[in-house]
Amino acid sequence: MSDMQTPEAGRWTGGIHLLPVRVYYEDTDFTGVVYYANYLKFLERGRTDALRTAGVSHNDLWQAEPRLGFAVRKIQVEYLVPARIDDALGVETRFIEARGARMTLAQRILRDGEVLVTAEVEAACIDADGRPRRLPAAVREIFKAITSG
């Protein structure tokens, strides 16, 4: 067994998941500002940890029959204020709707309460062949609990 601590996975408060993220040198461009594509990585981490802490394991879905996963179908991002090296950020994730094979989420990246980035994401549940599959009943129940809380 390793003596390493479990990485920070964030917390749920009032239907919103908050994941703390630090901006490292590797996240920035030559000016010390976060490179635009790296915000997408921060948002992905927020969605993944929101699901994990709500009880939806990507690994469990992939091990089930049929094998299932999630793919981003559409994302709309608005960059409002740049983040910089060493900034402590918070990635907020809120589940809006889950219907059929799709789920819709709203996300924000904040620094000290200031909104830096907003995103609306539509993800689809897919099988190993990339075909859309209805969200499993247990996952739909978790989403229902998240969106009502």
Side-chain angles (χ1 to χ4, degrees):
M1 281 289 214
S2 172
D3 62 351
M4 293 184 61
Q5 294 181 339
T6 301
E8 172 66 51
R11 67 186 176 284
W12 283 94
T13 305
I16 296 173
H17 181 266
L18 178 64
L19 176 69
V21 175
R22 172 74 61 188
V23 176
Y24 295 108
Y25 180 77
E26 67 185 20
D27 301 318
T28 64
D29 63 16
F30 68 96
T31 68
V33 170
V34 172
Y35 182 66
Y36 81 97
N38 287 329
Y39 291 103
L40 298 177
K41 293 179 182 182
F42 298 157
L43 294 168
E44 176 66 35
R45 291 176 198 159
R47 289 190 303 277
T48 298
D49 279 332
L51 286 168
R52 179 183 296 114
T53 58
V56 179
S57 163
H58 286 286
N59 192 46
D60 289 350
L61 286 173
W62 191 249
Q63 298 305 318
E65 187 57 45
R67 293 179 182 267
L68 298 175
F70 294 107
V72 171
R73 182 180 175 281
K74 179 171 61 172
I75 186 167
Q76 182 176 338
V77 181
E78 187 171 4
Y79 302 97
L80 304 169
V81 179
R84 300 185 178 280
I85 192 165
D86 290 332
D87 280 353
L89 308 177
V91 180
E92 287 185 354
T93 302
R94 186 167 47 94
F95 289 85
I96 305 298
E97 180 179 50
R99 204 172 6 180
R102 295 185 185 166
M103 62 180 169
T104 306
L105 306 91
Q107 292 187 279
R108 302 188 314 169
I109 299 176
L110 301 96
R111 178 185 54 220
D112 295 325
E114 179 182 23
V115 178
L116 308 182
V117 175
T118 62
E120 185 171 304
V121 182
E122 183 179 289
C125 183
I126 59 171
D127 64 19
D129 294 322
R131 290 188 300 264
R133 297 293 291 245
R134 188 168 180 74
L135 292 164
V139 173
R140 286 195 312 270
E141 286 302 314
I142 290 171
F143 287 141
K144 185 177 177 181
I146 291 170
T147 56
S148 65

CSV table of all heavy atoms in Angstrom, one decimal, residues 87-127:
chain,number,residue,atom,x,y,z
A,87,ASP,N,-2.0,31.0,-9.6
A,87,ASP,CA,-3.3,31.3,-9.1
A,87,ASP,C,-4.0,30.0,-8.5
A,87,ASP,O,-3.8,28.9,-9.0
A,87,ASP,CB,-4.2,31.8,-10.3
A,87,ASP,CG,-4.0,33.2,-10.6
A,87,ASP,OD1,-3.3,33.9,-9.9
A,87,ASP,OD2,-4.6,33.7,-11.6
A,88,ALA,N,-4.8,30.2,-7.5
A,88,ALA,CA,-5.6,29.2,-6.9
A,88,ALA,C,-7.0,29.4,-7.5
A,88,ALA,O,-7.6,30.4,-7.3
A,88,ALA,CB,-5.6,29.2,-5.4
A,89,LEU,N,-7.5,28.4,-8.2
A,89,LEU,CA,-8.8,28.5,-8.9
A,89,LEU,C,-9.8,27.5,-8.3
A,89,LEU,O,-9.4,26.6,-7.7
A,89,LEU,CB,-8.6,28.2,-10.4
A,89,LEU,CG,-7.5,29.0,-11.1
A,89,LEU,CD1,-7.5,28.6,-12.6
A,89,LEU,CD2,-7.8,30.5,-11.0
A,90,GLY,N,-11.0,27.8,-8.6
A,90,GLY,CA,-12.1,26.8,-8.2
A,90,GLY,C,-12.9,26.5,-9.5
A,90,GLY,O,-13.3,27.4,-10.2
A,91,VAL,N,-13.1,25.3,-9.8
A,91,VAL,CA,-13.9,24.8,-10.9
A,91,VAL,C,-15.2,24.4,-10.3
A,91,VAL,O,-15.3,23.4,-9.6
A,91,VAL,CB,-13.2,23.7,-11.7
A,91,VAL,CG1,-14.1,23.3,-12.9
A,91,VAL,CG2,-11.8,24.1,-12.1
A,92,GLU,N,-16.3,25.1,-10.7
A,92,GLU,CA,-17.7,24.8,-10.3
A,92,GLU,C,-18.3,24.0,-11.4
A,92,GLU,O,-18.2,24.4,-12.6
A,92,GLU,CB,-18.5,26.1,-10.1
A,92,GLU,CG,-18.2,26.8,-8.8
A,92,GLU,CD,-19.1,28.0,-8.6
A,92,GLU,OE1,-19.9,28.3,-9.5
A,92,GLU,OE2,-19.0,28.6,-7.5
A,93,THR,N,-19.0,22.9,-11.0
A,93,THR,CA,-19.8,22.1,-11.9
A,93,THR,C,-21.2,21.9,-11.4
A,93,THR,O,-21.4,21.5,-10.3
A,93,THR,CB,-19.1,20.7,-12.1
A,93,THR,OG1,-17.8,20.9,-12.6
A,93,THR,CG2,-19.8,19.9,-13.1
A,94,ARG,N,-22.1,22.2,-12.3
A,94,ARG,CA,-23.6,22.0,-11.9
A,94,ARG,C,-24.2,21.2,-13.0
A,94,ARG,O,-24.1,21.6,-14.2
A,94,ARG,CB,-24.2,23.4,-11.8
A,94,ARG,CG,-25.6,23.3,-11.2
A,94,ARG,CD,-26.2,24.7,-10.8
A,94,ARG,NE,-25.9,25.7,-11.8
A,94,ARG,CZ,-26.7,26.1,-12.7
A,94,ARG,NH1,-27.9,25.5,-12.8
A,94,ARG,NH2,-26.4,27.1,-13.6
A,95,PHE,N,-24.9,20.1,-12.6
A,95,PHE,CA,-25.6,19.3,-13.6
A,95,PHE,C,-27.0,19.9,-13.9
A,95,PHE,O,-27.7,20.1,-12.9
A,95,PHE,CB,-25.7,17.8,-13.1
A,95,PHE,CG,-24.4,17.1,-13.1
A,95,PHE,CD1,-23.5,17.2,-12.1
A,95,PHE,CD2,-24.0,16.4,-14.2
A,95,PHE,CE1,-22.3,16.6,-12.1
A,95,PHE,CE2,-22.8,15.8,-14.3
A,95,PHE,CZ,-21.9,15.9,-13.2
A,96,ILE,N,-27.3,20.2,-15.1
A,96,ILE,CA,-28.5,20.8,-15.5
A,96,ILE,C,-29.6,19.8,-15.8
A,96,ILE,O,-30.7,19.9,-15.3
A,96,ILE,CB,-28.3,21.8,-16.7
A,96,ILE,CG1,-27.2,22.8,-16.4
A,96,ILE,CG2,-29.6,22.5,-17.1
A,96,ILE,CD1,-27.5,23.7,-15.3
A,97,GLU,N,-29.3,18.8,-16.7
A,97,GLU,CA,-30.3,17.9,-17.1
A,97,GLU,C,-29.6,16.6,-17.6
A,97,GLU,O,-28.5,16.6,-18.1
A,97,GLU,CB,-31.0,18.5,-18.3
A,97,GLU,CG,-32.1,17.7,-18.9
A,97,GLU,CD,-32.8,18.4,-20.1
A,97,GLU,OE1,-32.1,18.9,-21.0
A,97,GLU,OE2,-34.0,18.4,-20.0
A,98,ALA,N,-30.3,15.5,-17.4
A,98,ALA,CA,-29.8,14.2,-18.0
A,98,ALA,C,-31.1,13.6,-18.6
A,98,ALA,O,-32.1,13.3,-17.9
A,98,ALA,CB,-29.3,13.3,-16.9
A,99,ARG,N,-31.0,13.3,-19.9
A,99,ARG,CA,-32.1,12.8,-20.6
A,99,ARG,C,-31.6,11.9,-21.8
A,99,ARG,O,-30.7,12.3,-22.5
A,99,ARG,CB,-32.9,13.9,-21.2
A,99,ARG,CG,-34.4,13.5,-21.5
A,99,ARG,CD,-35.3,14.6,-21.9
A,99,ARG,NE,-34.8,15.9,-22.1
A,99,ARG,CZ,-35.5,16.9,-22.5
A,99,ARG,NH1,-36.8,16.7,-22.6
A,99,ARG,NH2,-35.0,18.1,-22.7
A,100,GLY,N,-32.2,10.7,-21.8
A,100,GLY,CA,-31.7,9.7,-22.9
A,100,GLY,C,-30.3,9.4,-22.7
A,100,GLY,O,-29.9,8.9,-21.7
A,101,ALA,N,-29.5,9.7,-23.7
A,101,ALA,CA,-28.0,9.4,-23.6
A,101,ALA,C,-27.2,10.7,-23.3
A,101,ALA,O,-26.0,10.6,-23.2
A,101,ALA,CB,-27.6,8.9,-25.0
A,102,ARG,N,-27.9,11.8,-23.1
A,102,ARG,CA,-27.2,13.1,-23.0
A,102,ARG,C,-27.4,13.7,-21.6
A,102,ARG,O,-28.4,13.5,-20.9
A,102,ARG,CB,-27.7,14.1,-24.0
A,102,ARG,CG,-27.5,13.7,-25.4
A,102,ARG,CD,-27.9,14.8,-26.3
A,102,ARG,NE,-27.7,14.4,-27.7
A,102,ARG,CZ,-28.3,15.0,-28.7
A,102,ARG,NH1,-29.0,16.1,-28.5
A,102,ARG,NH2,-28.1,14.6,-29.9
A,103,MET,N,-26.3,14.4,-21.2
A,103,MET,CA,-26.4,15.2,-20.0
A,103,MET,C,-25.8,16.6,-20.3
A,103,MET,O,-24.9,16.8,-21.1
A,103,MET,CB,-25.6,14.6,-18.8
A,103,MET,CG,-24.2,14.4,-19.0
A,103,MET,SD,-23.4,13.7,-17.6
A,103,MET,CE,-21.8,13.3,-18.2
A,104,THR,N,-26.4,17.6,-19.7
A,104,THR,CA,-26.0,19.0,-19.8
A,104,THR,C,-25.5,19.5,-18.5
A,104,THR,O,-26.1,19.3,-17.5
A,104,THR,CB,-27.2,19.9,-20.3
A,104,THR,OG1,-27.8,19.3,-21.5
A,104,THR,CG2,-26.7,21.3,-20.6
A,105,LEU,N,-24.4,20.2,-18.6
A,105,LEU,CA,-23.7,20.8,-17.4
A,105,LEU,C,-23.4,22.2,-17.6
A,105,LEU,O,-23.1,22.7,-18.7
A,105,LEU,CB,-22.4,20.0,-17.1
A,105,LEU,CG,-22.5,18.5,-17.0
A,105,LEU,CD1,-22.2,17.9,-18.3
A,105,LEU,CD2,-21.5,18.1,-16.0
A,106,ALA,N,-23.4,23.0,-16.5
A,106,ALA,CA,-22.9,24.4,-16.5
A,106,ALA,C,-21.7,24.4,-15.6
A,106,ALA,O,-21.6,23.8,-14.6
A,106,ALA,CB,-24.0,25.3,-16.0
A,107,GLN,N,-20.6,25.1,-16.1
A,107,GLN,CA,-19.4,25.1,-15.4
A,107,GLN,C,-18.8,26.6,-15.4
A,107,GLN,O,-19.1,27.3,-16.3
A,107,GLN,CB,-18.3,24.2,-16.0
A,107,GLN,CG,-18.7,22.7,-15.8
A,107,GLN,CD,-17.5,21.9,-16.2
A,107,GLN,OE1,-17.4,21.6,-17.4
A,107,GLN,NE2,-16.8,21.4,-15.3
A,108,ARG,N,-18.1,26.9,-14.3
A,108,ARG,CA,-17.4,28.1,-14.2
A,108,ARG,C,-16.1,27.9,-13.5
A,108,ARG,O,-15.9,27.0,-12.7
A,108,ARG,CB,-18.2,29.1,-13.3
A,108,ARG,CG,-19.6,29.4,-13.7
A,108,ARG,CD,-20.3,30.5,-13.0
A,108,ARG,NE,-20.2,30.4,-11.5
A,108,ARG,CZ,-20.5,31.4,-10.7
A,108,ARG,NH1,-21.0,32.5,-11.2
A,108,ARG,NH2,-20.4,31.3,-9.4
A,109,ILE,N,-15.1,28.7,-13.9
A,109,ILE,CA,-13.8,28.8,-13.2
A,109,ILE,C,-13.7,30.1,-12.6
A,109,ILE,O,-13.9,31.1,-13.2
A,109,ILE,CB,-12.7,28.5,-14.2
A,109,ILE,CG1,-12.8,27.1,-14.9
A,109,ILE,CG2,-11.3,28.6,-13.5
A,109,ILE,CD1,-11.8,26.8,-16.0
A,110,LEU,N,-13.4,30.1,-11.3
A,110,LEU,CA,-13.3,31.3,-10.5
A,110,LEU,C,-12.0,31.5,-9.8
A,110,LEU,O,-11.3,30.5,-9.5
A,110,LEU,CB,-14.4,31.3,-9.4
A,110,LEU,CG,-15.8,31.2,-9.9
A,110,LEU,CD1,-16.3,29.8,-9.8
A,110,LEU,CD2,-16.7,32.1,-9.1
A,111,ARG,N,-11.6,32.7,-9.5
A,111,ARG,CA,-10.5,33.1,-8.7
A,111,ARG,C,-10.9,34.1,-7.7
A,111,ARG,O,-11.4,35.2,-8.0
A,111,ARG,CB,-9.3,33.6,-9.5
A,111,ARG,CG,-8.1,34.1,-8.7
A,111,ARG,CD,-7.1,34.8,-9.6
A,111,ARG,NE,-7.7,35.9,-10.3
A,111,ARG,CZ,-7.4,36.2,-11.6
A,111,ARG,NH1,-6.5,35.5,-12.3
A,111,ARG,NH2,-8.0,37.2,-12.2
A,112,ASP,N,-10.9,33.7,-6.4
A,112,ASP,CA,-11.3,34.6,-5.3
A,112,ASP,C,-12.7,35.2,-5.6
A,112,ASP,O,-12.9,36.4,-5.4
A,112,ASP,CB,-10.3,35.8,-5.1
A,112,ASP,CG,-9.0,35.3,-4.7
A,112,ASP,OD1,-8.9,34.3,-3.9
A,112,ASP,OD2,-7.9,35.9,-5.1
A,113,GLY,N,-13.6,34.4,-6.1
A,113,GLY,CA,-15.0,34.8,-6.3
A,113,GLY,C,-15.2,35.5,-7.6
A,113,GLY,O,-16.4,35.7,-8.0
A,114,GLU,N,-14.2,35.8,-8.4
A,114,GLU,CA,-14.3,36.4,-9.7
A,114,GLU,C,-14.4,35.3,-10.8
A,114,GLU,O,-13.6,34.4,-10.8
A,114,GLU,CB,-13.1,37.3,-10.0
A,114,GLU,CG,-13.2,38.0,-11.3
A,114,GLU,CD,-11.9,38.8,-11.6
A,114,GLU,OE1,-10.9,38.6,-11.0
A,114,GLU,OE2,-12.1,39.7,-12.5
A,115,VAL,N,-15.5,35.4,-11.6
A,115,VAL,CA,-15.6,34.4,-12.7
A,115,VAL,C,-14.7,34.7,-13.8
A,115,VAL,O,-14.7,35.8,-14.4
A,115,VAL,CB,-17.1,34.5,-13.2
A,115,VAL,CG1,-17.3,33.5,-14.3
A,115,VAL,CG2,-18.1,34.2,-12.1
A,116,LEU,N,-13.9,33.7,-14.1
A,116,LEU,CA,-12.9,33.9,-15.2
A,116,LEU,C,-13.4,33.2,-16.5
A,116,LEU,O,-13.1,33.7,-17.6
A,116,LEU,CB,-11.5,33.2,-14.8
A,116,LEU,CG,-10.9,33.6,-13.5
A,116,LEU,CD1,-9.6,32.9,-13.3
A,116,LEU,CD2,-10.8,35.1,-13.4
A,117,VAL,N,-14.0,32.1,-16.4
A,117,VAL,CA,-14.5,31.3,-17.5
A,117,VAL,C,-15.8,30.7,-17.3
A,117,VAL,O,-16.1,30.3,-16.1
A,117,VAL,CB,-13.5,30.1,-17.8
A,117,VAL,CG1,-14.0,29.2,-19.0
A,117,VAL,CG2,-12.1,30.7,-18.2
A,118,THR,N,-16.7,30.7,-18.3
A,118,THR,CA,-18.0,30.0,-18.1
A,118,THR,C,-18.0,29.0,-19.3
A,118,THR,O,-17.5,29.2,-20.4
A,118,THR,CB,-19.2,30.9,-18.2
A,118,THR,OG1,-19.2,31.6,-19.5
A,118,THR,CG2,-19.2,32.0,-17.1
A,119,ALA,N,-18.7,27.9,-19.0
A,119,ALA,CA,-18.9,26.9,-20.1
A,119,ALA,C,-20.2,26.2,-19.9
A,119,ALA,O,-20.7,26.0,-18.8
A,119,ALA,CB,-17.8,25.9,-20.0
A,120,GLU,N,-20.8,25.8,-21.1
A,120,GLU,CA,-22.0,24.9,-21.1
A,120,GLU,C,-21.5,23.7,-21.9
A,120,GLU,O,-21.0,23.9,-23.0
A,120,GLU,CB,-23.2,25.6,-21.7
A,120,GLU,CG,-24.4,24.7,-21.6
A,120,GLU,CD,-25.7,25.4,-22.0
A,120,GLU,OE1,-26.0,26.4,-21.4
A,120,GLU,OE2,-26.4,24.8,-22.9
A,121,VAL,N,-21.8,22.6,-21.3
A,121,VAL,CA,-21.2,21.3,-21.9
A,121,VAL,C,-22.4,20.3,-22.1
A,121,VAL,O,-23.2,20.2,-21.2
A,121,VAL,CB,-20.2,20.7,-20.9
A,121,VAL,CG1,-19.6,19.4,-21.5
A,121,VAL,CG2,-19.1,21.7,-20.6
A,122,GLU,N,-22.4,19.7,-23.2
A,122,GLU,CA,-23.3,18.6,-23.5
A,122,GLU,C,-22.4,17.4,-23.7
A,122,GLU,O,-21.6,17.4,-24.6
A,122,GLU,CB,-24.2,18.9,-24.7
A,122,GLU,CG,-25.2,17.8,-24.9
A,122,GLU,CD,-26.1,18.0,-26.1
A,122,GLU,OE1,-26.9,18.9,-26.0
A,122,GLU,OE2,-25.9,17.4,-27.2
A,123,ALA,N,-22.7,16.3,-22.9
A,123,ALA,CA,-21.9,15.1,-23.0
A,123,ALA,C,-22.9,14.0,-23.3
A,123,ALA,O,-24.0,14.0,-22.9
A,123,ALA,CB,-21.1,14.8,-21.7
A,124,ALA,N,-22.4,13.0,-24.0
A,124,ALA,CA,-23.2,11.8,-24.4
A,124,ALA,C,-22.6,10.6,-23.8
A,124,ALA,O,-21.4,10.4,-23.7
A,124,ALA,CB,-23.3,11.7,-25.9
A,125,CYS,N,-23.5,9.7,-23.4
A,125,CYS,CA,-23.1,8.4,-22.9
A,125,CYS,C,-22.9,7.5,-24.2
A,125,CYS,O,-23.9,7.5,-25.0
A,125,CYS,CB,-24.2,7.8,-22.0
A,125,CYS,SG,-23.8,6.2,-21.3
A,126,ILE,N,-21.8,6.9,-24.3
A,126,ILE,CA,-21.5,6.1,-25.5
A,126,ILE,C,-21.0,4.7,-25.1
A,126,ILE,O,-20.5,4.5,-24.0
A,126,ILE,CB,-20.5,6.8,-26.5
A,126,ILE,CG1,-19.2,7.0,-25.7
A,126,ILE,CG2,-21.1,8.1,-27.0
A,126,ILE,CD1,-18.1,7.5,-26.7
A,127,ASP,N,-21.2,3.7,-26.0
A,127,ASP,CA,-20.6,2.4,-25.8
A,127,ASP,C,-19.2,2.3,-26.4
A,127,ASP,O,-18.7,3.3,-26.9
A,127,ASP,CB,-21.5,1.3,-26.3
A,127,ASP,CG,-21.7,1.3,-27.9
A,127,ASP,OD1,-20.9,1.9,-28.6
A,127,ASP,OD2,-22.7,0.7,-28.3
